[in-house]
Amino acid sequence: MKKFNVVGKPVTRQDAYEKATGTALYADDYTFPGMLYGVMVRVPASHAIIDRIDYSAVAGNPAVTAIVDHNDIPAQKKVGPIKQDQPIFSWEKIVTPGDVVAMLVGQNETELLQLRDKVSVEFTALPVLTDPLKSMDPDAPRIHPQYENNAIVHYPLRKGDPEKGFAESDYIIEQTYTTQFIEHGYIEPEAVIAIPLGKAKGVKILGSIQNPHTTRKVVALVLGLPLTKVRVVQAEMGGSFGGKDDQMNILSARAAVAAVKTNRPVKIRFNREESILESYKRHPYHMHYKVGFTNEGKLKSMRIHITADGGAYASMSPFVTWRTVVQATGPYEVENVFTDVHAVYTNNPYTGAMRGFGSPQPIFAQEQIMDEIALKLGMSPLQIREINGFKTGSVTASGQKLDNHEVNLSTVINKAVEETNFVEKWQKNQKDNADVAKQLNFANDSEANQFILTKDQLIAPDKTWRKGIGLAASYRGCSLGAEGIDVTSAYLSVQLDGSAYLLCGLAENGQGLRTTFCIVAAEILGLTVDKIFYLEQDTAIAPDSGPTVASRSTLMGGGAVRNAAETIRERMVRSVADEWKVSADSITFANNTVSSSENNKSVTFADACGITYKHKENLATIGFYQAPEVSWEEETGQGSAYFTYVYGCQIAEITVNIATGQVYVEKVTAVHDPGTVLNLQGALGQVYGGVTQGVGYGIWEEISVHNGKIREMNLDQYLLPTSKEIDDITAIFIEGKDEHGAWGAKSLGEPTLELGAAAVANAIQNATGTRFYHNPINLEEILLNRKLYPEDLKRGSL
Amino acid sequence: MIAQFEVLAPKTIQEALQLISGNPRAKILAGGTDVITGFHQGSSRFIDTTTLIDINHIPEMHAITETDSHIVIGAGTPFTHIVENPGVIKYFPLLAESCSVIGSLQIRNRATIGGNFINNAPCADSVPALLVYEAKIRIQSAISDREMPLADFLVKPYKTQLKPDEIVTEVILTKFDDGYKGNFYKLGRRRGVAISRLTIAVFGKVENDIITDIRIASGAVTPIGMRIAELEQKLIGKPANDDSLKEAAIELGKIILEKTGIRWSAPYKLPVMQQVCYQQLHTLVFGKE
Ligand SMILES: Cc1cc2nc3c(=O)[nH]c(=O)nc-3n(C[C@H](O)[C@H](O)[C@H](O)COP(=O)(O)OP(=O)(O)OC[C@H]3O[C@@H](n4cnc5c(N)ncnc54)[C@H](O)[C@@H]3O)c2cc1C
């Protein structure tokens, strides 16, 4: 392997100082002269026809500079990445409580917040559809009457002959798993400012925006402007996790419409409640798995039916569920597969992109099934995965042969297993905790309550804490795959003093992309990282590089930055070789100097830039990177879905209090193969954050809905894991070889999140001898095998 | 959304008492961790408040003093000081423990013990420990100065005997003899910043295998933090064996069911309260493993 100077070494984040000292500027930190605020007007309904909106109670009020609604939209009124079903301002119908019919615009936000309830909206309530499994019933309420039914998308995958596979199986397991809505929980709620620049220049948007180029497209469509007249600049981001895409496009469009109407800057900022109310969530999945396998533990056949609750709008559902159909069988060889993944409309909060993107749900199901199979056959979770796990040359469910990269599934699993002494602990727990299942012994009737215990049900203190260890493994397709066009560009401009500007079309969302890209450029140009100055994200400067999603920035952006830096380096080599009359091969770049081994000459990098300039070579360039070909056959779900994959394994070690259902997570060991690790600090950060979010998914986090309305409207009820929840996270990287991106650096962000809930669920089984099928496995789930919710949405403390 | 209000910052208790007397729209501001969130939520308890009297600049309000027989904690003492106080740790360990699991470090640096029981939420975590220690409180106004047991002060959720012109100034704890032992358990959904699902404090004395004194107080599962006197009466004089502890735990379940009726959380909380009660009594009588 190549010896690196900067790559893989701990490097301080470029934004660390400003963020740690509180001087970093987030969208809400900006104000502009004459700036107004926009405040949303909503309707207290989940599904209703809007009959009439009466603004008379607020229209003349001096606090209200303008009232903005759909009538003010110059061009397109509804938007969406695939289906244009989401109105910027609703005018026909309300399809979920987050919907907005109008915006009050004025200088004093506090007054507007008091006035908004005075807008009177007359509406006719419609039946509310909350159960996605009923969405396709013939008599189900139609969410969007312009479509034939409530289907958003259906992906089939057909491989081999599943029925024959079941016939050849010695055992068949059938099981249903469910997962919940998840809120992204970015620490900074939504904020955006639209600044009108006059007829000739259009509008500028400054905000907490995940994908500035997508926002630009949406705002341009809504205003009917060319892309060049909508300039989107990204403020410092206080988290996104996939959540500041559609939501921010729509808020930006609202602000822009108001800015154009009033000819003044307009800011929209949400508090936590409003953020939770309107923003999209991670999809709840209903997953039915039927799996056939032999006495020897070989998987023969899988039949999978998945329904994803898309909520009120299609948003990213077609992309999210596509990843699900590709990966639903897990990193295992299965000859015969029949998978149907559906996404449907309901009146629930809409669902879209969230870190993981269609993988945490099937992993929750399928990694538990692997353990169930092991238990059934008296094998260990390790053995069953050894028998079926992908190896080099394995063929995936979509018929793709894995042969262009190191297939490191068994390496990551074995490493995690050795590191934790997994098999021994798992077997011991399985024996020690065999008595717990009897203790939990759920009533068949899920509503039957036993309020008063009997003496033999009381658990002595020394029997109450049970250890569990659980494993989950996954493979994950890198970048967009056959979902979309996969190209990126990066702008690099080296200055004559040897410093350089860098900017890629992908956006810094807190993941540390600026630092990683600087590392790539610094490595190639032999610079220290501090010489490279990463510019602020601005659609007027950076070329559109597709969205910053799918754990693709290091891979795709790294490729583009590498390409740009190599181009500049070649030009410099040419010039310096010419100047010194030495061969190009003899020139090296390191420690901010450029040297030749032929004449033993060295100059500073800055001087080498001077030489290049003198030779009339351009020191600026736009690098480009293009993903290799991928393919997908819609009818059969066959094809080379992604051009490369990564592998990961996480092991959770927990203690369960079987008297109370409390789960303490003591340690998570995370072994990942992200390809080459470019930014060590960044990679560790991804693991710590992803593991924590994954465990949060498995135990605490849940948005529940009551008639389409969210119960957990703030972070006192929506329980994110705190820094105290996991005692220890151990991160280990296996750097598998790959030819793509920058030195084979692939993906890590999402792989770290997708495994936690499944590993915890398997650990809970190990601790309790009991399998739980419904995420999150919280206190009530463990003791009662169901969830409990308050009857109304009111808080006691009011 | 917070409406405009006035904040006054007296330097002495007398000054504070003067400010609050005759101003029914004034409220005390201690750590503000309930007041400010209450304002944000538009809570009915603070809807009429136009003046806040900040007691943080009054030294006596956050002093902890110890004598041979007592520890007196200023009502405005933040939890962090209580948790770190050697006297509290030594003589009232259940109080130290229960205060140490409140909110987060940041919350404990601000939130005060007085604010906790004056707010009187069902899940006020310091209350069960204070109740088993039979804490008294001192309540002053410009024209009066009274003491009462905390148990009497707490009326119902978010309601106490505090009059609009009064300030609670002290929490008075009387030291116990060595024979007493106790335990506290807080059950939350997560480890950090957890609102209690239930809490229990048990405190008592076993002599010659007989339970000679026992005090049991619950929080969060009962409408407010309270002593379970009927259960204590049944246990006192009983042999300190596993069977009596089990009976007591089940009895507690019945008592709470009677007090609260069947609430949405009952299928979980009631059985778990019995488990936790049994385990805490077990540990009290037989010691830790
Ligand atoms: C994030 C968070 C987490 C929390 N976690 C917990 C927890 O785990 N456990 C728990 O029990 N609580 C918790 N709380 C609630 C709160 O912190 C406590 O109830 C705290 O003890 C209140 O004290 P304070 O000093 O902040 O009270 P304040 O908010 O200042 O006052 C509360 C009430 O008491 C009155 N008051 C205060 N002091 C006096 C006085 N001396 N005389 C007369 N009236 C007075 C005020 O007027 C007000 O009505 C949490 C709160 C937050 C915001």
Side-chain angles (χ1 to χ4, degrees), chain A residues 11 56 93 104 152 163 173 216 258 287 353 369 391 413 522 545 566 594 598 791 793:
Chain A
V11 170
S56 56
K93 284 186 77 180
L104 302 186
I152 296 174
E163 288 318 309
I173 298 187
R216 181 180 66 158
M287 301 173 281
I369 287 195
K391 299 151 192 80
I413 294 178
S545 298
E566 280 175 345
V594 177
E598 230 167 275
E791 284 116 23
L793 304 175

Side-chain angles (χ1 to χ4, degrees), chain A residues 110 113-114 439 449-455 457-462 464-465 657 659-662 664-666 700 715-716 718-722 724-727 778-780 783-784 786 788-791 795-798, chain B residues 1-3 38 41-45 100 103 108 158 185-193 195 197 243 245-247 249-250 253-254 257 262-272 274-276 278-280 282-283 289:
Chain A
T110 312
L113 285 166
Q114 280 156 350
Q439 185 74 39
N449 292 315
Q450 187 199 3
F451 296 117
I452 303 302
L453 298 177
T454 56
K455 279 187 193 165
Q457 287 176 309
L458 290 167
I459 299 164
D462 64 327
T464 202
W465 297 101
N657 184 338
T660 63
Q662 286 167 290
Y664 288 142
V665 181
E666 269 124 27
W700 305 286
L715 300 182
D716 58 335
Y718 186 80
L719 300 179
L720 295 166
T722 71
K724 283 181 101 177
E725 281 1 283
I726 306 177
D727 296 332
N778 61 16
L779 300 174
E780 291 86 356
L783 287 198
L784 306 172
R786 65 188 151 113
L788 295 178
Y789 300 109
E791 284 116 23
R795 282 163 200 264
S797 58
L798 289 175
Chain B
M1 207 183 347
I2 302 189
Q41 295 183 343
S43 162
S44 57
R45 289 175 289 142
S100 76
R108 293 192 294 276
Y158 305 102
Y185 195 80
K186 163 170 174 163
L187 192 154
R189 288 192 182 274
R190 61 180 178 197
R191 284 194 257 183
V193 208
I195 300 170
R197 304 294 295 146
D243 210 50
L245 304 183
K246 282 185 165 161
E247 267 167 27
I250 290 166
K254 293 180 184 157
L257 181 58
I262 297 171
R263 308 177 55 195
W264 67 270
S265 54
Y268 171 81
K269 279 189 174 180
L270 275 176
V272 171
Q274 294 161 62
Q275 295 281 13
V276 172
Y278 168 61
Q279 294 185 346
Q280 296 313 310
H282 192 287
T283 307
E289 296 304 309

Side-chain angles (χ1 to χ4, degrees), chain A residues 114-190:
Chain A
Q114 280 156 350
L115 283 173
R116 68 166 155 187
D117 293 334
K118 303 225 160 76
V119 175
S120 124
V121 184
E122 286 166 30
F123 62 90
T124 308
L126 296 170
V128 178
L129 173 64
T130 57
D131 181 355
L133 299 183
K134 299 203 173 109
S135 281
M136 298 304 285
D137 289 357
D139 57 346
R142 280 253 291 286
I143 309 300
H144 297 284
Q146 68 270 36
Y147 304 128
E148 200 183 306
N149 56 35
N150 291 324
I152 296 174
V153 75
H154 167 217
Y155 291 115
L157 183 148
R158 309 284 183 257
K159 181 193 179 195
D161 183 347
E163 288 318 309
K164 185 164 154 272
F166 287 123
E168 288 166 10
S169 300
D170 296 309
Y171 294 97
I172 291 171
I173 298 187
E174 252 187 281
Q175 211 43 260
T176 300
Y177 298 83
T178 61
T179 64
Q180 73 280 35
F181 285 101
I182 288 287
E183 162 65 29
H184 301 79
Y186 25 77
I187 197 159
E188 175 210 22
E190 295 76 357

Side-chain angles (χ1 to χ4, degrees), chain B residues 28 30-35 79 102-103 112 115-116 118 123-125 168 186 194:
Chain B
I28 298 296
T33 60
D34 284 321
V35 171
F79 290 120
I102 288 177
T112 66
N116 200 226
I118 295 165
C123 55
D125 284 330
V168 177
K186 163 170 174 163

Side-chain angles (χ1 to χ4, degrees), chain A residues 55 58-60 64-69 72 102-105 119 261:
Chain A
Y55 297 113
V58 300
V64 181
T65 310
I67 299 168
V68 182
D69 66 13
D72 298 299
M103 197 163 78
L104 302 186
V105 182
V119 175
K261 179 167 181 172

